[in-house]
Amino acid sequence: MKSFPHADFGAAPALRAVFPFLILLIVLSGCTTSDNMRSGSKLPTGAPAGTTRFWVNLRSRPRLQGAPAISDYAARGQFVVDELRRNAAASQGPVISFLQQRNAKFEAFWIANTIWVEAGDETRKLIAELPEVESIEPDQVIALDDPPETPSSAQRPTTDIAGLTVEQNVSRLHAPEVWDMGADGTGIVVGIIDTGFMPHPAINAKYRGFQNKGTTFNNPYNWFDAADDPAGNLCFSAPCDDNGHGTHVAGTILGRDGTDAIGVAPGAQFIACRALRGGFGSAKSVVTCLQWFLAPTDLSGNNAKPALRPQIISASIGGSSPMTGLAEAMSNLEAAGTLPVSASGNSSACKTVGYPAALSYGLAVGAITADLTTNTLSKYSSSGPIPNSSLIKPDVVAQGDSVRSAWLNNGYKTISGTSMATPAVSGVAALVMSARPQWIGHPVDVAELLRATANRNVSAPERSSCNQGYPNMASGWGLVDAEAAVKKAEEPPPRRQ
């Protein structure tokens, strides 16, 4: 991934006025298809002359220690949202008042106690001296960095199982064995943060807003568009996907069309927040989506209902640098009982896992090749270690090469990347929660369960410096195994988080 200062983009098109936010661009973590980056796409511009863009992180922290003891999923979410809003309201007032007096542009969030600001250097220096402010982080822009094409990306390996044509990446995780046990994801909702999605026969009935046999959709609380769009062409009222990536991800999590089994958890439902336009997004759009997932709203962003939040968030996105607000948002989602699953990235080396995968929350997912003779880490899959951290990342791996899934115009496409492995692991988590509902609301335990039951037989011959012992920084605990995880989950989770 390449990082550029905003000054490099003075000639780029201006951001739409209602989305004037800084930017750590959160980018697609990985498809090996040139279609992901439209030739007409441009990086968002930097701040206007004389101003800078930065995040103001406040000192005050919410009191969420009581959240794990709340067994009711809806009540737990409401408790967390109420406390986050209380904390933000109690601590952000003086900073907001100061920004208003300075006529600065800003956006305040509550999922993390942070404020995005566009202002002059003097304002930035003065705001850093306010007693409520803990730190200020500069903005960054990250360019899309796809892995190279793989020779196997045109293949379509499948297995015929009980009258279904099951994609290899699905059968390899032993998902069909879990289907035979009577669990297919039913009762679980997965939130997808990506490029959006387009209606498709493999996923229409899985969308929580599906109604009238797919002829119409009920989009409030099920769809939200937070993407930055200089042309103002946001998809506020109905789902869209100008890229295909988000549609592909949805198909891998839960897609099925007749006997064509492309998804791991075909009984699950999904909701979606569009954070990426044409392969590009922003920290603002990503944090906005995470806040929406914690408390889904109507299409205007009002009348939030935390009870409608998903049990899992699948994030095939990643940035090269940490951000306090993103880390707090992921932590608070976990406190509310939601499991984040994130792509590790496609930077082809050790010490390259992106964010949020590099954080301690949820699961970071790497990719292995389509070769069934051995479980081998894909050349592009990012590996740890994480700078200044003892975390082992990625946590687990799944097949990322040659993954066939839903695409635009009711089509299908075979592409590769850790973005393709991540939704498969999200699907496995949905199978576990569907088969063993007592695990819902236990994200830390579900993550540990998938690590503990993974197949450790994964090789990474090109990562000798970070492929030491077990678990290791190349493939973590190994290849996810849905059947083993569901069987081990027969007992209740070991603790209430």
Side-chain angles (χ1 to χ4, degrees):
M1 296 182 182
K2 299 179 180 178
S3 179
F4 304 92
H6 275 297
D8 292 346
F9 297 103
L15 280 174
R16 196 166 78 95
V18 296
F19 287 106
F21 295 95
L22 125 66
I23 320 196
L24 159 65
L25 261 191
I26 303 288
V27 299
L28 298 178
S29 282
C31 304
T32 59
T33 169
S34 60
D35 286 350
N36 279 332
M37 188 169 179
R38 306 297 188 203
S39 60
S41 296
K42 302 290 185 181
L43 289 173
T45 184
T51 66
T52 58
R53 291 174 172 175
F54 52 92
W55 290 85
V56 179
N57 303 310
L58 283 78
R59 298 182 186 279
S60 180
R61 293 292 182 270
R63 299 189 292 265
L64 299 176
Q65 295 86 346
I70 303 173
S71 59
D72 181 80
Y73 193 70
R76 181 172 175 178
Q78 189 67 59
F79 170 84
V80 170
V81 169
D82 288 346
E83 173 58 18
L84 292 175
R85 284 176 166 164
R86 182 209 61 78
N87 181 61
S91 59
Q92 293 180 1
V95 180
I96 290 174
S97 178
F98 175 84
L99 292 170
Q100 290 171 334
Q101 293 171 12
R102 304 284 298 189
N103 294 319
K105 293 181 179 180
F106 66 93
E107 175 85 355
F109 293 91
W110 52 260
I111 190 172
N113 200 2
T114 188
I115 304 173
W116 179 91
V117 180
E118 179 182 281
D121 287 342
E122 182 182 5
T123 296
R124 178 179 57 81
K125 292 175 182 177
L126 289 173
I127 203 170
E129 298 175 359
L130 296 178
E132 296 84 3
V133 175
E134 181 176 62
S135 64
I136 290 181
E137 294 175 331
D139 60 351
Q140 301 178 50
V141 173
I142 310 295
L144 180 63
D145 185 26
D146 285 343
E149 293 281 355
T150 58
S152 61
S153 61
Q155 297 177 4
R156 184 195 161 190
T158 60
T159 304
D160 291 330
I161 302 175
L164 297 173
T165 301
V166 183
E167 292 297 321
Q168 176 181 288
N169 65 304
V170 175
S171 61
R172 195 169 187 178
L173 300 178
H174 299 148
E177 288 85 342
V178 177
W179 305 339
D180 287 343
M181 296 164 61
D184 62 359
T186 297
I188 305 304
V189 178
V190 181
I192 302 174
I193 179 171
D194 214 288
T195 62
F197 76 97
M198 286 297 289
H200 188 287
I203 63 173
N204 284 348
K206 323 296 179 181
Y207 176 50
R208 194 171 67 182
F210 176 86
Q211 60 184 22
N212 298 330
K213 298 184 178 180
T215 57
T216 59
F217 290 138
N218 181 28
N219 295 311
Y221 302 97
N222 301 313
W223 164 260
F224 196 76
D225 188 2
D228 300 321
D229 192 338
N233 298 320
L234 299 182
C235 305
F236 284 125
S237 61
C240 70
D241 183 354
D242 64 353
N243 182 280
H245 188 271
T247 304
H248 197 277
V249 163
T252 299
I253 296 172
L254 40 66
R256 183 177 294 182
D257 184 11
T259 61
D260 192 356
I262 60 172
V264 174
Q269 292 181 305
F270 77 97
I271 60 176
C273 185
R274 180 180 181 238
L276 304 170
R277 177 191 61 83
F280 296 104
S282 68
K284 184 267 177 185
S285 63
V286 170
V287 174
T288 297
C289 280
L290 295 177
Q291 185 165 284
W292 182 82
F293 280 130
L294 183 50
T297 68
D298 59 25
L299 300 178
S300 298
N302 299 316
N303 304 308
K305 296 182 179 180
L308 296 179
R309 73 193 187 284
Q311 285 80 32
I312 301 162
I313 294 176
S314 192
S316 287
I317 58 175
S320 62
S321 301
M323 189 186 92
T324 300
L326 179 63
E328 286 189 18
M330 299 294 274
S331 172
N332 293 332
L333 281 163
E334 191 172 85
T338 300
L339 172 68
V341 183
S342 307
S344 66
N346 305 293
S347 296
S348 307
C350 302
K351 299 181 181 180
T352 60
V353 174
Y355 292 84
L359 300 171
S360 61
Y361 313 106
L363 290 165
V365 183
I368 61 173
T369 71
D371 184 1
L372 290 177
T373 63
T374 179
N375 298 323
T376 304
L377 194 73
S378 299
K379 291 182 179 180
Y380 54 78
S381 188
S382 291
S383 299
I386 310 303
N388 305 312
S389 172
S390 60
L391 290 173
I392 295 175
K393 297 289 177 175
D395 296 273
V396 293
V397 297
Q399 182 174 322
D401 284 12
S402 304
V403 174
R404 174 181 172 270
S405 189
W407 199 252
L408 305 180
N409 300 316
N410 295 333
Y412 293 85
K413 194 161 189 171
T414 301
I415 52 180
S416 302
T418 57
S419 281
M420 283 60 258
T422 299
V425 174
S426 299
V428 170
L431 291 180
V432 169
M433 295 181 195
S434 177
R436 315 296 184 202
Q438 64 268 33
W439 288 74
I440 294 173
H442 292 259
V444 174
D445 294 322
V446 172
E448 176 56 32
L449 176 71
L450 296 194
R451 287 190 288 261
T453 55
N455 178 358
R456 63 189 297 171
N457 183 26
V458 178
S459 64
E462 297 185 0
R463 305 288 168 83
S464 57
S465 64
C466 51
N467 184 29
Q468 305 295 323
Y470 176 85
N472 58 67
M473 298 292 184
S475 57
W477 278 259
L479 175 61
V480 166
D481 186 327
E483 182 183 21
V486 169
K487 288 181 176 179
K488 188 174 179 63
E490 289 180 352
E491 297 297 323
R495 61 186 180 276
R496 166 57 62 179
Q497 299 153 17

